[in-house]
Amino acid sequence: MSPLTKLTFSLSLLLGTTITISSNHWMLAWTGLEINTLAIIPFISKSHHPRAVEAAIKYFLVQATASALILFSSTINAQFTGQWDITQLTQPTASLLLTAAVAMKLGLVPFHFWFPEVMQGSPMITALLLSTLMKLPPITILFLTAPSLNPPLLTTMAIASAAIGGWMGLNQTQIRKILAFSSIAHLGWMTIILMYNPKLTMMTFYLYSMMTASIFLALNTTNSLKLPTMMTSWTKMPALNASLMLALLSLAGLPPLTGFLPKWLIIQELAKQEMSTTAMIISMLSLLGLFFYLRLAYCSTIPLPPNTVNFMKQWYNNKPTSASTATLISMSMLLLPLSPTILTIT
């Protein structure tokens, strides 16, 4: 892909995201989502590998279906209420259709099947965009329509996402698939609190994006795509691998790392809403995810693989880690003491 083409599609991604998150009209929001979908497809399929092309087609079909559902739900709402304002979603059928459409765009259970396959077929940086930037517009739509959504439906989808994300990630050896199921599980945490504290959902998304970006950039630097290659990459950049272990534990939500903050606040908010049983269930389900995070952390720092691998140990690389990767990893580990400031900002 030429630099000019890459710049064009990158600017289109930023434009589509900006249009959606800043719009108050359903047609503008839909336009931004379509620009986003069309701009990310060349990044997914740029390697021309059959798996990449398959991932691009799957992504296009799912996103086009979800966009059509969004347009359909907004048209139904406008027909009954005479309003095209996003915040005026008062028709029940339109609300249910919108919830299904946004869940499809995000990869929430039961519309999650496409997400791990698309992640596996994408390059590492494109997978990072799919996990973070591409989820911002749909989450913003959920944020704007939160008062009109169905609480039991969202809670059921959230608990199912936390369960499926943790359960399906246990049996994976491909790192991008593991991080895809991690994303599904984290979406469950964001969705469950959306009705009661939307700002907390956005804060959780920002912290998740930061931690996920640090992990993807570190894995991209060491060129680790599978657990066996991760086991042999410690000789290449030992300091980066040690930091990667802490970033993974932070994504798992272990104190005293940054990732503990959103889970702590979500459980606290659920307890305030007298949803202690729900808080207990989703906390127990997060232990499933903790298992594969610990396995990733173990593989990133192990000096000698426990079994024979078909990969040679890589040469030590004294090339310095990029400043963005180092900064993101540091923030992924050390933001918990600044939690009062973060809460004030959000």
Side-chain angles (χ1 to χ4, degrees):
M1 187 182 292
S2 68
L4 181 60
T5 308
K6 187 180 289 187
L7 177 64
T8 303
F9 288 126
S10 300
L11 290 177
S12 299
L13 270 178
L14 293 175
L15 176 65
T17 303
T18 306
I19 288 174
T20 302
I21 65 176
S22 60
S23 63
N24 209 29
H25 193 281
W26 278 115
M27 291 303 293
L28 274 178
W30 175 79
T31 303
L33 291 171
E34 288 299 300
I35 292 173
N36 257 4
T37 300
L38 295 175
I40 195 69
I41 286 174
F43 288 110
I44 298 173
S45 60
K46 69 178 180 181
S47 66
H48 303 295
H49 190 276
R51 184 178 284 276
V53 175
E54 178 189 350
I57 293 172
K58 285 180 179 177
Y59 184 80
F60 173 74
L61 291 176
V62 171
Q63 297 298 313
T65 305
S67 294
L69 276 177
I70 289 176
L71 200 58
F72 186 41
S73 68
S74 60
T75 305
I76 290 175
N77 187 68
Q79 181 183 2
F80 281 93
T81 65
Q83 294 283 340
W84 284 94
D85 194 329
I86 292 180
T87 57
Q88 303 298 321
L89 186 70
T90 54
Q91 216 279 331
T93 306
S95 177
L96 286 174
L97 282 172
L98 179 77
T99 305
V102 175
M104 198 179 294
K105 277 197 168 290
L106 288 172
L108 273 172
V109 174
F111 306 104
H112 65 287
F113 298 101
W114 63 273
F115 189 57
E117 300 298 327
V118 171
M119 287 278 282
Q120 181 58 31
S122 304
M124 193 62 86
I125 299 302
T126 307
L128 167 61
L129 291 175
L130 289 171
S131 297
T132 54
L133 183 65
M134 298 303 292
K135 292 189 184 298
L136 181 57
I139 286 181
T140 305
I141 291 176
L142 281 182
F143 177 85
L144 292 172
T145 58
S148 308
L149 300 179
N150 188 347
L153 177 62
L154 282 180
T155 303
T156 304
M157 292 171 74
I159 292 176
S161 297
I164 296 294
W167 193 262
M168 297 293 288
L170 294 176
N171 200 30
Q172 303 296 330
T173 58
Q174 298 284 345
I175 294 176
R176 282 169 293 185
K177 276 196 175 181
I178 292 175
L179 291 173
F181 287 116
S182 161
S183 177
I184 292 170
H186 277 86
L187 280 171
W189 281 85
M190 295 175 211
T191 309
I192 203 165
I193 204 65
L194 178 71
M195 296 288 301
Y196 312 105
N197 193 339
K199 289 185 178 180
L200 183 52
T201 296
M202 299 308 294
M203 189 202 75
T204 305
F205 175 74
Y206 296 145
L207 291 179
Y208 162 76
S209 299
M210 180 189 66
M211 293 183 288
T212 302
S214 67
I215 291 169
F216 269 107
L217 292 174
L219 291 170
N220 189 56
T221 304
T222 59
N223 198 25
S224 300
L225 299 177
K226 304 176 183 177
L227 289 181
T229 55
M230 201 174 183
M231 289 179 185
T232 58
S233 65
W234 68 274
T235 52
K236 193 175 184 181
M237 302 182 98
L240 181 62
N241 266 31
S243 303
L244 175 60
M245 178 197 72
L246 292 174
L248 286 164
L249 294 179
S250 179
L251 190 62
L254 286 182
L257 302 170
T258 304
F260 176 62
L261 175 63
K263 292 189 176 180
W264 172 28
L265 294 175
I266 287 172
I267 292 171
Q268 184 179 5
E269 184 66 30
L270 288 174
K272 286 181 183 176
Q273 300 292 334
E274 299 182 355
M275 298 175 66
S276 302
T277 305
T278 306
M280 183 187 70
I281 291 171
I282 200 167
S283 302
M284 296 295 288
L285 290 173
S286 69
L287 296 178
L288 292 170
L290 179 61
F291 179 83
F292 62 74
Y293 289 124
L294 286 173
R295 186 173 62 165
L296 281 172
Y298 175 70
C299 291
S300 69
T301 52
I302 186 172
L304 187 66
N307 49 10
T308 305
V309 294
N310 297 323
F311 301 94
M312 294 179 63
K313 288 187 174 65
Q314 303 176 55
W315 289 101
Y316 178 76
N317 188 349
N318 59 1
K319 184 179 70 173
T321 308
S322 67
S324 58
T325 306
T327 304
L328 285 170
I329 289 179
S330 301
M331 293 172 68
S332 297
M333 297 183 290
L334 303 173
L335 278 186
L336 189 62
L338 299 177
S339 54
T341 308
I342 297 172
L343 291 174
T344 302
I345 293 172
T346 56

CSV table of all heavy atoms in Angstrom, one decimal, residues 11 34 37 43 66 82 94 110 113 116 127 140 164 167 185 216 225 237 246 261 307 309 334 340:
chain,number,residue,atom,x,y,z
A,11,LEU,N,-6.9,9.0,7.3
A,11,LEU,CA,-7.7,10.2,7.5
A,11,LEU,C,-9.2,9.9,7.4
A,11,LEU,O,-10.0,10.5,8.1
A,11,LEU,CB,-7.3,11.3,6.5
A,11,LEU,CG,-5.9,11.9,6.6
A,11,LEU,CD1,-5.6,12.9,5.5
A,11,LEU,CD2,-5.8,12.6,8.0
A,34,GLU,N,-20.4,4.2,8.1
A,34,GLU,CA,-20.2,3.7,6.8
A,34,GLU,C,-18.8,4.1,6.3
A,34,GLU,O,-18.0,3.3,5.7
A,34,GLU,CB,-21.2,4.2,5.8
A,34,GLU,CG,-22.6,3.5,5.9
A,34,GLU,CD,-22.5,2.0,5.8
A,34,GLU,OE1,-22.1,1.6,4.7
A,34,GLU,OE2,-22.8,1.3,6.7
A,37,THR,N,-16.3,1.8,8.1
A,37,THR,CA,-16.3,0.5,7.5
A,37,THR,C,-15.5,0.4,6.2
A,37,THR,O,-14.6,-0.5,6.0
A,37,THR,CB,-17.7,0.0,7.3
A,37,THR,OG1,-18.4,0.0,8.5
A,37,THR,CG2,-17.7,-1.4,6.7
A,43,PHE,N,-7.1,-1.9,5.0
A,43,PHE,CA,-6.1,-2.3,6.0
A,43,PHE,C,-6.2,-3.8,6.4
A,43,PHE,O,-5.2,-4.4,6.7
A,43,PHE,CB,-6.2,-1.4,7.3
A,43,PHE,CG,-5.8,0.0,7.1
A,43,PHE,CD1,-6.8,1.0,7.1
A,43,PHE,CD2,-4.5,0.4,6.9
A,43,PHE,CE1,-6.4,2.3,6.9
A,43,PHE,CE2,-4.1,1.7,6.7
A,43,PHE,CZ,-5.1,2.7,6.7
A,66,ALA,N,-25.3,-4.5,10.1
A,66,ALA,CA,-25.5,-3.7,11.3
A,66,ALA,C,-25.9,-2.3,11.0
A,66,ALA,O,-26.8,-1.7,11.6
A,66,ALA,CB,-24.3,-3.7,12.2
A,82,GLY,N,-41.4,11.4,14.9
A,82,GLY,CA,-41.1,12.6,14.1
A,82,GLY,C,-39.7,13.2,14.4
A,82,GLY,O,-39.5,14.4,14.1
A,94,ALA,N,-37.8,0.2,17.8
A,94,ALA,CA,-36.5,0.8,17.4
A,94,ALA,C,-35.4,0.6,18.4
A,94,ALA,O,-34.2,0.4,18.0
A,94,ALA,CB,-36.8,2.3,17.1
A,110,PRO,N,-24.9,-12.3,21.5
A,110,PRO,CA,-24.7,-13.4,20.7
A,110,PRO,C,-24.2,-13.1,19.2
A,110,PRO,O,-24.3,-13.9,18.4
A,110,PRO,CB,-26.0,-14.1,20.6
A,110,PRO,CG,-27.0,-13.0,20.6
A,110,PRO,CD,-26.4,-11.9,21.5
A,113,PHE,N,-19.5,-14.0,16.8
A,113,PHE,CA,-18.7,-15.0,16.0
A,113,PHE,C,-17.8,-14.5,15.0
A,113,PHE,O,-16.7,-15.1,14.7
A,113,PHE,CB,-19.7,-16.0,15.3
A,113,PHE,CG,-20.6,-16.7,16.3
A,113,PHE,CD1,-21.9,-16.3,16.5
A,113,PHE,CD2,-20.2,-17.8,17.0
A,113,PHE,CE1,-22.7,-16.9,17.4
A,113,PHE,CE2,-21.0,-18.4,17.9
A,113,PHE,CZ,-22.3,-18.0,18.1
A,116,PRO,N,-13.4,-12.8,16.4
A,116,PRO,CA,-12.2,-13.5,16.5
A,116,PRO,C,-11.6,-13.9,15.1
A,116,PRO,O,-10.4,-13.8,14.9
A,116,PRO,CB,-12.5,-14.7,17.3
A,116,PRO,CG,-13.7,-14.4,18.1
A,116,PRO,CD,-14.5,-13.5,17.2
A,127,ALA,N,-5.5,-5.1,13.7
A,127,ALA,CA,-6.2,-5.8,14.9
A,127,ALA,C,-6.4,-4.8,16.0
A,127,ALA,O,-7.4,-4.8,16.7
A,127,ALA,CB,-5.5,-7.1,15.3
A,140,THR,N,-20.2,5.1,21.5
A,140,THR,CA,-20.8,6.5,21.7
A,140,THR,C,-22.3,6.5,21.4
A,140,THR,O,-23.0,7.2,22.1
A,140,THR,CB,-20.0,7.4,20.7
A,140,THR,OG1,-18.6,7.4,20.9
A,140,THR,CG2,-20.5,8.9,20.9
A,164,ILE,N,-18.6,-15.9,27.7
A,164,ILE,CA,-18.1,-16.5,26.4
A,164,ILE,C,-16.7,-16.0,26.2
A,164,ILE,O,-15.8,-16.8,25.8
A,164,ILE,CB,-19.0,-16.1,25.3
A,164,ILE,CG1,-20.4,-16.7,25.4
A,164,ILE,CG2,-18.4,-16.5,23.9
A,164,ILE,CD1,-20.4,-18.2,25.4
A,167,TRP,N,-14.5,-18.0,28.6
A,167,TRP,CA,-14.5,-19.4,28.3
A,167,TRP,C,-13.8,-19.8,27.0
A,167,TRP,O,-13.0,-20.7,26.9
A,167,TRP,CB,-15.9,-19.9,28.3
A,167,TRP,CG,-16.1,-21.4,28.4
A,167,TRP,CD1,-16.3,-22.2,27.3
A,167,TRP,CD2,-16.0,-22.2,29.5
A,167,TRP,NE1,-16.4,-23.5,27.8
A,167,TRP,CE2,-16.2,-23.5,29.1
A,167,TRP,CE3,-15.9,-21.9,30.9
A,167,TRP,CZ2,-16.2,-24.6,30.0
A,167,TRP,CZ3,-15.9,-23.0,31.8
A,167,TRP,CH2,-16.0,-24.3,31.3
A,185,ALA,N,-15.0,-10.0,26.4
A,185,ALA,CA,-15.2,-10.0,27.9
A,185,ALA,C,-15.2,-8.6,28.5
A,185,ALA,O,-16.0,-8.3,29.3
A,185,ALA,CB,-14.1,-10.9,28.6
A,216,PHE,N,-0.6,-4.6,22.1
A,216,PHE,CA,-0.5,-4.9,20.7
A,216,PHE,C,0.8,-4.3,20.2
A,216,PHE,O,1.5,-5.0,19.3
A,216,PHE,CB,-1.6,-4.3,19.9
A,216,PHE,CG,-2.8,-5.2,19.8
A,216,PHE,CD1,-4.0,-5.0,20.5
A,216,PHE,CD2,-2.7,-6.2,18.8
A,216,PHE,CE1,-5.0,-5.9,20.3
A,216,PHE,CE2,-3.8,-7.1,18.7
A,216,PHE,CZ,-5.0,-6.9,19.4
A,225,LEU,N,3.1,-13.8,17.3
A,225,LEU,CA,1.7,-14.0,16.9
A,225,LEU,C,1.1,-15.2,17.6
A,225,LEU,O,-0.1,-15.4,17.6
A,225,LEU,CB,1.7,-14.2,15.4
A,225,LEU,CG,2.2,-13.0,14.5
A,225,LEU,CD1,2.2,-13.4,13.1
A,225,LEU,CD2,1.3,-11.8,14.8
A,237,MET,N,14.1,-9.0,23.3
A,237,MET,CA,14.0,-7.7,24.1
A,237,MET,C,13.5,-8.1,25.5
A,237,MET,O,12.3,-8.1,25.8
A,237,MET,CB,13.0,-6.8,23.4
A,237,MET,CG,13.4,-6.4,22.0
A,237,MET,SD,12.2,-5.3,21.2
A,237,MET,CE,13.1,-3.7,21.4
A,246,LEU,N,3.6,-7.3,32.9
A,246,LEU,CA,2.8,-6.4,33.8
A,246,LEU,C,1.6,-5.8,33.1
A,246,LEU,O,0.5,-5.6,33.7
A,246,LEU,CB,3.7,-5.4,34.4
A,246,LEU,CG,4.8,-5.9,35.3
A,246,LEU,CD1,5.8,-4.7,35.7
A,246,LEU,CD2,4.2,-6.5,36.6
A,261,LEU,N,-8.7,-0.5,38.4
A,261,LEU,CA,-9.6,0.6,38.6
A,261,LEU,C,-11.0,0.5,38.0
A,261,LEU,O,-12.0,0.6,38.8
A,261,LEU,CB,-8.9,1.9,38.2
A,261,LEU,CG,-9.7,3.2,38.3
A,261,LEU,CD1,-10.1,3.5,39.7
A,261,LEU,CD2,-9.0,4.3,37.6
A,307,ASN,N,8.3,-27.3,26.8
A,307,ASN,CA,8.3,-28.4,25.8
A,307,ASN,C,9.1,-27.9,24.6
A,307,ASN,O,9.4,-26.8,24.4
A,307,ASN,CB,6.9,-28.8,25.5
A,307,ASN,CG,6.0,-27.7,25.1
A,307,ASN,OD1,6.5,-26.6,24.9
A,307,ASN,ND2,4.7,-27.9,25.0
A,309,VAL,N,9.9,-26.6,21.0
A,309,VAL,CA,9.2,-25.7,20.1
A,309,VAL,C,9.9,-25.7,18.8
A,309,VAL,O,11.1,-26.0,18.7
A,309,VAL,CB,9.1,-24.3,20.7
A,309,VAL,CG1,8.2,-24.3,21.9
A,309,VAL,CG2,10.5,-23.7,21.0
A,334,LEU,N,0.7,2.1,36.0
A,334,LEU,CA,0.9,3.0,37.1
A,334,LEU,C,-0.1,4.0,37.3
A,334,LEU,O,0.1,5.0,38.0
A,334,LEU,CB,2.3,3.7,36.9
A,334,LEU,CG,3.5,2.8,36.7
A,334,LEU,CD1,4.7,3.6,36.3
A,334,LEU,CD2,3.8,2.1,38.0
A,340,PRO,N,-8.2,9.3,41.6
A,340,PRO,CA,-9.1,10.4,41.9
A,340,PRO,C,-9.1,11.5,40.8
A,340,PRO,O,-10.1,12.0,40.5
A,340,PRO,CB,-8.5,11.0,43.2
A,340,PRO,CG,-7.8,9.8,43.9
A,340,PRO,CD,-7.2,9.0,42.7
